[in-house]
């Protein structure tokens, strides 16, 4: 995931039931008032959630986010954030993943629920 790498996202746990990733606060990821930008938080959640979905795909299938809903709870002005993604639904056409983002104190920063399409491999022509 090149984009995740450019944001400094580090995956610390990767499994079918749970994926965890972290991202450090930095001024270049902020909006006004040195608050971590919502888009950076959403990118963290999308990256961690997509990996969780990917690990639950059938063989040779791929995935893409088709819907994402984010509730922001508090701002982040320092430290790092941790995203923990868990599958809520694993189906033949979609996978729904819930991702909680917490700050360095363990307080909830954002809650994200995303739907990932299950894209079957195309037969060779």
């Amino acid at each position: 995931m090149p984009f995740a790498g450019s944001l400094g996202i580090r995956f610390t746990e990767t499994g079918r039931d749970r994926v965890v990733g972290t991202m450090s606060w930095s001024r270049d990821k902020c909006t006004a008032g040195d608050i971590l930008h919502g888009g950076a938080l959403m990118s963290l959640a999308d990256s961690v959630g997509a990996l969780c979905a990917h690990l639950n795909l059938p063989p040779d299938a791929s995935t893409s986010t088709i819907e994402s809903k984010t509730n922001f709870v508090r701002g982040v002005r320092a430290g790092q954030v941790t995203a923990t993604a868990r599958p809520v639904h694993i189906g033949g056409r979609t996978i729904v993943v819930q991702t909680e983002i917490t700050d360095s104190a363990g307080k909830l920063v954002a809650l994200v629920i995303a739907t990932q399409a299950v894209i079957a491999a195309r037969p060779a022509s």
Side-chain angles (χ1 to χ4, degrees):
M1 287 188 178
F3 183 62
S6 70
L7 289 174
I9 296 172
R10 292 172 306 285
F11 294 96
T12 59
E13 184 179 334
T14 56
R16 290 174 53 92
D17 295 330
R18 181 174 136 124
V19 173
V20 180
T22 63
M23 182 176 70
S24 296
W25 178 97
S26 63
R27 176 163 260 159
D28 62 318
K29 296 177 206 155
C30 288
T31 187
D34 290 334
I35 297 171
L36 196 57
H37 194 285
L41 292 168
M42 291 172 73
S43 294
L44 170 63
D46 189 55
S47 297
V48 173
L51 180 55
C52 183
H54 174 79
L55 293 172
N56 285 283
L57 288 171
D60 299 323
S62 61
T63 186
S64 181
T65 305
I66 57 174
E67 187 273 339
S68 183
K69 164 76 168 81
T70 304
N71 284 51
F72 296 104
V73 178
R74 70 174 23 87
V76 177
R77 291 182 173 83
Q80 82 173 14
V81 287
T82 299
T84 303
R86 292 180 177 86
V88 175
H89 165 75
I90 300 169
R93 296 185 183 199
T94 61
I95 297 173
V96 178
V97 177
Q98 178 173 301
T99 304
E100 292 183 4
I101 301 176
T102 57
D103 62 15
S104 296
K107 293 183 178 179
L108 186 65
V109 171
L111 179 64
V112 180
I113 298 181
T115 304
Q116 299 281 139
V118 175
I119 304 166
R122 293 185 180 181
S125 20

